[in-house]
Amino acid sequence: MSTPSISAPDFAGHDFDYIVIGGGTAGLAVAARLSEDPNLVVGVLEAGPEALQDNAINSPGQFLQILGTKYDWQFETVPQEGLGGRALAWPRGRVLGGTSALNLMTWNRGNKEDYDAWEQLGNKGWGWDGLLPFFKKAEAFHAPDKKTQSANREYYEPGAIGTDGPVHASYSKQYSKTHQLCYDALVALGIPENKSHHAGSNVGVWTNPVSVDPDRNTRSYAAPAYYVPNSSRRNLLVLTEALAHEIILEQKSGQWTATGVRFSYGDDSFVAQASREVILSAGSVQSPQLLELSGIGNPQVLEEAGIEVRVPNPNVGENLQDHLMTVSVFEIDPNIQVKNLGAPASPFCYLPVSTAVSEEESKLLLSKVEILERSTPEKDEILRSRFDPEANLGQFEYIFELGNWNSNFHPDPSNGKRYASVLQILQYPFSRGSIHICPPNFSRKDGSRSTIATKPAIDPGYYYGEKGEVDLETMKQCMRFSDKLCKSTPLSSVVGSRVAPPSSVTSDADLRDWVARNTTTDWHPVGTCAMGGHDGIRSGVVDDRLRVYNVKRLRVVDASIMPLQISAHLQATVYAIAEKGARLILEDSVEKGT
């Protein structure tokens, strides 16, 4: 495999057409597609190292061992009032390939309605039909043989998948005994099998594909997928361990224009120039951070941090949405082998609220939703519609996994007991938060300012306010489905008593308290540089061609542009955003004749 080999001075002295900030999931995909044109010179700045040979990343079975290492930015939220004052770890990839090198490799898509909602908000071309070609362009799906497909329920819709893209997607080669037991229990509960879960609806139960190259049994992520095959291109230059500090903005014809990037390598500082565009692909945490450090954002936030205001936009860093998760833990038959089978291999189940709770509870939740203050009518109305009893959308994801996945449950290892977990993940949160640069500990007299070295303040606002109250109530009610699942045959033949929440948690009040004290994140932040749609800069940061409002030659291409959360893990969608973003950039370049 090839390793990035350009020096920092050479990178800074290069004549680039495009500079991509962030060599992660989206950034490497964008750079690879732009550099397909040999007349374009593309540079990529990545803060982390390359780790192409590191088995901790490449081996699917070691996915949890990478978190908290040198490959992780090790971000943390501010204490969350809605979680009893707890702060949560927020892993993000600091390595060539970004978070695609750290994630759990889940490969799925949201519902057609999720993406159509983006277009409904005024973002032309971002509905399901507009995105499907880019989902397919990114993936190389390995279809299972008929025998395996039947044995493990490995279903797919041929017309909805891509077969020759850079990222490998496949079904696991091994499954535990509980895979079939859980699958059958869900079906016995009346949950429909979904044999076309990539084709616009993931509701129901289905077997989960993963981003693994089945021929090599290695993680398939952005670095080996998009960079390595193209690393010999003379017009694609990647500098790792280079930390971007700010986007260089200059006044041209009376408008702020991105002309380059100031970055550091070791103790030295450099500036690299881009003659066409700077493309920000630093993710939902650091894309807004870099915009603010460059003078683009809420004037109050910038002034408190000692940053000169260049382009006022109060939406930068706002609209943060994340998937919230609780984990129930059950004792399990000690004869069940709890061992690492590689990438997570489980039946996935997405359910509407009306399926996961009783009719009475569903009506109660709907009544709470209907009285919410309509601060952003169009977005709120879309979220309200997903509680409609007729809506067939996955408000909740349920995953049954062997082992203890609850970080707050600490059993005595000497008791000889074994455990299984049910992960309950809220897909369409009302909770909203923000990510902003922090005011430094400085005196105005010495002119200090916030820098990239200061981690931003991440405040997801979990369960906060009346909107967060709806999320908390929804999570509380939908947790009960896990008990129902584990008590259903044939899964009940190997699953015993529940230990988290403990058996003493029976009342609504106790369960509500336990949820607040045990909710964590599924690490799917979006929305902090969202597309503005119909409302433009009044509610967003970029337009539907991903151009930053009121700044020329600057775009954002990553998960931060998503205006509303989706019912899915983010990986495949981020690749689709990158593929589409690269297409938009090339189209605009041709239109301008540049």
Side-chain angles (χ1 to χ4, degrees):
M1 288 187 176
S2 300
T3 300
S5 58
I6 191 171
S7 70
D10 285 347
F11 190 97
H14 228 81
D15 294 324
F16 290 109
D17 294 292
Y18 298 96
I19 293 179
V20 180
I21 303 175
T25 313
L28 289 182
V30 170
R33 293 308 185 190
L34 295 180
S35 63
E36 288 177 348
D37 183 341
N39 297 312
L40 298 176
V41 182
V42 182
V44 180
L45 292 169
E46 167 53 41
E50 67 85 12
L52 297 169
Q53 306 296 338
D54 196 319
N55 193 53
I57 290 176
N58 292 325
S59 174
Q62 298 189 39
F63 54 89
L64 292 178
Q65 298 179 22
I66 319 165
L67 305 181
T69 68
K70 64 180 180 179
Y71 301 134
D72 181 356
W73 282 97
Q74 300 181 40
F75 292 122
E76 188 176 77
T77 71
V78 301
Q80 295 294 287
E81 181 179 330
L83 302 185
R86 290 182 296 128
L88 300 183
W90 261 39
R92 296 283 95 192
R94 186 174 184 166
V95 62
L96 192 66
T99 304
S100 69
L102 272 66
N103 65 20
L104 272 63
M105 294 159 283
T106 299
W107 192 257
N108 71 335
R109 304 172 185 168
N111 298 290
K112 178 181 186 295
E113 292 86 346
D114 296 344
Y115 307 106
D116 287 350
W118 300 358
E119 192 159 43
Q120 180 183 334
L121 292 170
N123 300 297
K124 184 179 179 182
W126 288 92
W128 171 261
D129 292 339
L131 273 172
L132 182 57
F134 299 103
F135 275 114
K136 295 169 69 173
K137 188 174 183 179
E139 72 182 350
F141 189 88
H142 296 257
D145 59 49
K146 290 185 177 180
K147 181 180 179 180
T148 304
Q149 178 178 335
S150 176
N152 298 318
R153 276 78 171 263
E154 298 173 340
Y155 303 121
Y156 64 98
E157 178 65 44
I161 62 170
T163 57
D164 57 0
V167 185
H168 294 277
S170 61
Y171 286 101
S172 295
K173 294 182 178 180
Q174 299 181 76
Y175 295 89
S176 69
K177 176 182 177 181
T178 55
H179 172 266
Q180 294 289 4
L181 297 178
C182 182
Y183 200 113
D184 289 341
L186 287 164
V187 172
L189 286 170
I191 308 302
E193 285 189 283
N194 189 333
K195 298 185 178 182
S196 303
H197 49 86
H198 277 97
S201 173
N202 59 27
V203 174
V205 56
W206 39 273
T207 301
N208 169 46
V210 289
S211 51
V212 169
D213 181 340
D215 297 329
R216 297 179 176 85
N217 194 31
T218 56
R219 174 193 293 268
S220 185
Y221 68 105
Y226 281 97
Y227 172 68
V228 171
N230 306 308
S231 58
S232 62
R233 291 177 182 167
R234 301 185 63 172
N235 65 330
L236 175 58
L237 303 173
V238 176
L239 180 64
T240 54
E241 301 185 78
L243 185 61
H245 287 251
E246 68 175 310
I247 300 155
I248 304 299
L249 299 179
E250 299 179 7
Q251 281 278 5
K252 292 181 179 290
S253 302
Q255 186 171 3
W256 287 108
T257 303
T259 61
V261 183
R262 183 169 68 85
F263 70 95
S264 62
Y265 187 87
D267 295 328
D268 299 321
S269 181
F270 302 89
V271 171
Q273 303 287 338
S275 62
R276 298 196 183 202
E277 290 188 14
V278 174
I279 300 154
L280 185 52
S281 296
S284 292
V285 174
Q286 288 163 298
S287 283
Q289 181 189 23
L290 279 165
L291 288 178
E292 291 182 338
L293 290 173
S294 307
I296 304 168
N298 187 321
Q300 181 178 348
V301 171
L302 301 186
E303 288 167 3
E304 289 178 354
I307 305 293
E308 176 190 353
V309 180
R310 291 172 172 171
V311 182
N313 185 335
N315 300 303
V316 174
E318 296 293 323
N319 192 49
L320 174 61
Q321 302 156 62
D322 188 24
H323 287 154
L324 299 90
M325 178 173 70
T326 56
V327 180
S328 298
V329 183
F330 298 81
E331 291 184 12
I332 195 169
D333 186 335
N335 294 315
I336 296 291
Q337 292 297 309
V338 181
K339 63 180 181 178
N340 193 334
L341 299 176
S346 308
F348 274 38
C349 179
Y350 285 81
L351 295 180
V353 170
S354 56
T355 300
V357 303
S358 68
E359 184 178 352
E360 181 181 348
E361 292 164 339
S362 181
K363 288 180 179 179
L364 174 63
L365 289 173
L366 185 58
S367 68
K368 288 181 176 292
V369 169
E370 288 175 342
I371 62 174
L372 286 176
E373 178 185 354
R374 301 193 176 197
S375 56
T376 52
E378 198 166 15
K379 288 182 182 178
D380 281 0
E381 188 54 42
I382 289 170
L383 291 178
R384 284 188 188 88
S385 70
R386 290 167 178 168
F387 278 81
D388 190 297
E390 300 301 317
N392 191 35
L393 297 172
Q395 177 69 271
F396 262 84
E397 176 186 15
Y398 293 90
I399 307 173
F400 183 91
E401 290 282 3
L402 291 175
N404 171 26
W405 286 66
N406 188 320
S407 58
N408 290 337
F409 174 61
H410 305 287
D412 182 352
S414 66
N415 66 16
K417 294 181 179 179
R418 289 180 172 169
Y419 301 95
S421 301
V422 181
L423 286 60
Q424 299 109 173
I425 308 164
L426 178 65
Q427 300 298 295
Y428 300 126
F430 280 96
S431 297
R432 290 291 181 274
S434 64
I435 296 177
H436 292 298
I437 54 176
C438 297
N441 296 320
F442 71 101
S443 164
R444 289 289 185 185
K445 294 179 181 179
D446 65 16
S448 297
R449 68 197 293 274
S450 289
T451 70
I452 193 68
T454 305
K455 290 184 178 181
I458 301 172
D459 184 5
Y462 297 130
Y463 298 152
Y464 181 76
E466 62 178 3
K467 292 185 179 181
E469 170 68 24
V470 171
D471 291 343
L472 177 56
E473 185 67 22
T474 305
M475 181 71 82
K476 183 194 76 175
Q477 298 290 7
C478 289
M479 275 197 65
R480 299 186 188 279
F481 181 81
S482 298
D483 288 349
K484 187 176 181 180
L485 170 62
C486 290
K487 291 177 181 177
S488 298
T489 56
L491 188 59
S492 59
S493 64
V494 297
V495 176
S497 61
R498 189 188 73 197
V499 292
S503 57
S504 59
V505 174
T506 56
S507 70
D508 272 6
D510 288 346
L511 183 56
R512 177 190 175 88
D513 180 65
W514 188 91
V515 167
R517 289 186 292 105
N518 284 270
T519 290
T520 184
T521 167
D522 202 27
W523 304 320
H524 295 159
V526 305
T528 49
C529 298
M531 292 186 287
H534 297 305
D535 293 332
I537 197 172
R538 294 189 300 276
S539 67
V541 178
V542 299
D543 65 15
D544 58 17
R545 301 192 74 80
L546 308 187
R547 299 171 295 202
V548 175
Y549 290 121
N550 293 343
V551 184
K552 294 180 66 176
R553 292 168 37 182
L554 177 61
R555 299 193 205 223
V556 180
V557 186
D558 55 34
S560 71
I561 64 94
M562 296 166 58
L564 280 173
Q565 186 60 277
I566 61 172
S567 176
H569 295 244
L570 299 186
Q571 179 179 205
T573 297
V574 173
Y575 282 123
I577 288 170
E579 290 279 7
K580 184 176 177 67
R583 175 72 61 83
L584 294 174
I585 293 166
L586 292 171
E587 286 176 354
D588 289 348
S589 177
V590 170
E591 185 177 324
K592 294 175 184 176
T594 57

